[in-house]
Amino acid sequence: MTAPTASTTGAGTPRTQRTAKRFIVSIAAIAAIGGALFGYDTGVIAGALPFMEQHFSLDSLGEGVITSALLIGAAFGSLAGGRMSDRLGRKPALLWAGAVFIGGALAVALAPTVPIMVAARFLLGLAVGSASVITPLYLSEIAPPHIRGRLVSFNALMIVSGQLLAYVINAVLAQWEAWRWMLGLAALPAVALFIGMFFLPDTPRWYISKGRDDEAAAVLRRTLPDGQVADELARIDHARALEESAQAGAWQQLRTPWIRRILLIGIGLAVVQQITGVNAVIYFAPKILESTGMGTNAAITASIAVGAVSVAATAVGMSLIDRLGRRPMLMGGLTGMAVSLVALGASFHLPRSTATSWLVLGLMVLYMAFMQATLNTGVWLLLAEMFPLKVRGLAMGAAVFMMWLVNFTVALVFPVLLDAAGASVTFWIFAVMCVLSFVFCKRYAPETKGMALEDLEHELRRAAAAGRPAS
């Protein structure tokens, strides 16, 4: 394929490095609003739930059902988002997610009964699940290889920033018990995402997969130096030619042994991210702190520390992941998480007191620092990088579908388990999961640092044939 020559005006105009950087930053800022909404809508329930419990007279199972309704919706939304992004494009799929975010946020804020609240949370979950697939996919495909790790990790930063924003708003509104406002304010950034996406292009890889090479070249000229555009076009087009030669659809491609192996590894990584306890802390931090004797409003306010440390740790992870690599960060983080969870479980054997409450909060914060800096950042990045172009949306959707199913199970079971078995046993179970996850990541997690997506695909194919992780 011959790359189109650069024009002197319009979208295809050669850009300076500074202008290209500004364009990439603007793309990341708008697209990652989807990540912020993901974070806000999952984090806000922590502050709203204590008041919803009183308003709707909820027991532990009821708390789990309302919390997990969003997550089962997110599971199906991730599948729908992956398929929609492959067929219609990454941009239209994000527009759809923005529209559903708006409707879902208003629905949960106005829900008069528990069944309607559960249905509204399910609807909102469709948008959360779609955004969880499409946003990192969009960013990974539009980012130049040398900054792809940082740019996709920016989505992870936006997720935890959304959670922090939710904790802060929860603390402010808790004094008025204004839990409906906590839920409904998510409509505002959803409007910003919906409007902002109208001004962004789709990704070069999606354009090329549909034979729209001129549009792909126009986007690449805005993100790469002129001398690299032709090489990048050729690399993407070569990958497309290899995939088309198989003459099979995405579902048939998943039957190919090396692709099936990569999909199973991706699903394993998605499960690892959830079975190690992160969302038990995110969704139920005030409930955990209340169990140590802390008051409701104080527990909601103290949860801000969890969100603040998550943001700081994710920023640290972003700065390190392209230097240290994905595998070392995953294994180092899981080690720190396991130690933190063992200590957290032991702390619940201390007498209930203010000092115990602060110790529990400190250990939760330490655990979240390890989690957000390493595992959360690394897993989302690997899922956005490791699948071949033709099945990328479908395979990532399948992996994230499993992620949300496990998330759903944890959210549904955690409050019941906390009441039945106690906090110590519950957190020690999560510590065991960290150890098992370490073994899995050491054996199977690929290393993708610094590789173009198409070169990475070739390496993963070779590694799968040899039965070893890509490195």
Side-chain angles (χ1 to χ4, degrees):
M1 181 190 76
T2 302
T5 57
S7 61
T8 57
T9 60
T13 304
R15 304 292 176 119
T16 65
Q17 184 175 1
R18 184 175 180 181
T19 306
K21 182 178 180 180
R22 189 183 307 125
F23 175 66
I24 294 168
V25 168
S26 66
I27 285 175
I30 294 172
I33 294 175
L37 284 163
F38 171 175
Y40 186 92
D41 286 318
T42 53
V44 72
I45 194 65
L49 197 58
F51 304 114
M52 294 169 69
E53 180 182 0
Q54 299 171 19
H55 183 85
F56 293 120
S57 300
L58 300 174
D59 57 13
S60 294
L61 181 59
E63 293 177 36
V65 169
I66 284 181
T67 302
S68 60
L70 180 143
L71 308 175
I72 194 67
F76 289 101
S78 65
L79 283 181
R83 292 299 284 163
M84 189 183 305
S85 68
D86 280 345
R87 291 186 177 184
L88 304 180
R90 293 19 171 169
K91 174 179 175 176
L94 275 173
L95 282 169
W96 176 86
V100 178
F101 267 125
I102 296 169
L106 295 176
V108 295
L110 299 173
T113 65
V114 171
I116 294 177
M117 174 63 73
V118 170
R121 293 269 297 168
F122 178 86
L123 174 66
L124 186 59
L126 294 176
V128 171
S130 295
S132 71
V133 174
I134 305 163
T135 302
L137 188 63
Y138 180 88
L139 292 173
S140 72
E141 290 189 351
I142 209 162
H146 67 285
I147 63 167
R148 189 177 63 241
R150 279 172 288 167
L151 194 61
V152 177
S153 298
F154 179 67
N155 181 58
L157 179 64
M158 292 296 286
I159 292 172
V160 293
S161 296
Q163 289 166 349
L164 174 59
L165 178 62
Y167 292 146
V168 171
I169 289 176
N170 287 346
V172 171
L173 296 179
Q175 57 186 316
W176 296 290
E177 300 185 7
W179 59 271
R180 293 189 184 275
W181 280 97
M182 297 176 188
L183 300 171
L185 286 174
L188 297 179
V191 171
L193 173 65
F194 185 76
I195 294 174
M197 284 306 302
F198 277 105
F199 299 96
L200 299 186
D202 218 308
T203 71
R205 286 166 180 82
W206 186 81
Y207 282 136
I208 286 180
S209 73
K210 301 302 178 183
R212 296 161 63 174
D213 296 357
D214 289 348
E215 291 166 277
V219 176
L220 287 172
R221 290 194 196 97
R222 301 185 71 179
T223 60
L224 293 173
D226 291 341
Q228 297 179 18
V229 171
D231 289 342
E232 185 68 7
L233 282 169
R235 183 184 293 114
I236 298 171
D237 196 51
H238 177 66
R240 178 189 63 172
L242 289 176
E243 289 154 1
E244 288 182 346
S245 67
Q247 296 181 343
W251 285 103
Q252 286 73 28
Q253 288 284 339
L254 291 179
R255 298 176 184 173
T256 305
W258 76 273
I259 294 179
R260 185 170 61 245
R261 183 177 189 271
I262 291 172
L263 175 61
L264 292 175
I265 292 172
I267 289 173
L269 289 170
V271 171
V272 161
Q273 192 199 53
Q274 296 302 313
I275 62 173
T276 48
V278 59
N279 286 311
V281 175
I282 290 172
Y283 303 149
F284 300 106
K287 183 178 177 71
I288 295 168
L289 292 171
E290 282 183 289
S291 72
T292 67
M294 188 177 287
T296 298
N297 284 10
I300 292 173
T301 302
S303 299
I304 294 175
V306 174
V309 169
S310 293
V311 171
T314 302
V316 171
M318 287 174 59
S319 68
L320 295 177
I321 199 159
D322 277 330
R323 285 184 280 173
L324 299 182
R326 286 50 161 164
R327 281 169 53 84
M329 290 189 68
L330 291 180
M331 291 184 286
L334 284 164
T335 302
M337 290 162 60
V339 173
S340 303
L341 287 167
V342 169
L344 181 58
S347 69
F348 284 94
H349 288 283
L350 298 174
R352 287 171 55 132
S353 66
T354 301
T356 299
S357 297
W358 286 108
L359 176 62
V360 168
L361 177 62
L363 290 170
M364 286 167 58
V365 164
L366 179 63
Y367 162 81
M368 290 298 290
F370 281 114
M371 169 66 193
Q372 301 291 10
T374 59
L375 192 65
N376 191 49
T377 302
V379 168
W380 281 115
L381 179 55
L382 282 170
L383 293 181
E385 292 177 324
M386 62 189 292
F387 300 119
L389 174 61
K390 191 164 187 177
V391 299
R392 189 167 294 149
L394 175 61
M396 187 172 179
V400 177
F401 174 76
M402 185 59 66
M403 179 187 292
W404 284 113
L405 282 184
V406 179
N407 193 341
F408 162 77
T409 303
V410 171
L412 182 63
V413 172
F414 180 78
V416 178
L417 183 62
L418 197 63
D419 287 347
S424 291
V425 172
T426 301
F427 286 112
W428 286 339
I429 290 173
F430 286 135
V432 172
M433 294 299 103
C434 286
V435 174
L436 296 176
S437 297
F438 179 94
V439 174
F440 175 85
C441 289
K442 184 176 182 180
R443 177 66 183 86
Y444 295 109
E447 182 54 73
T448 60
K449 181 180 70 171
M451 299 178 68
L453 291 179
E454 289 68 38
D455 294 338
L456 173 61
E457 180 177 331
H458 178 67
E459 172 59 24
L460 286 170
R461 189 193 302 257
R462 291 177 56 192
R468 59 174 176 82
S471 57

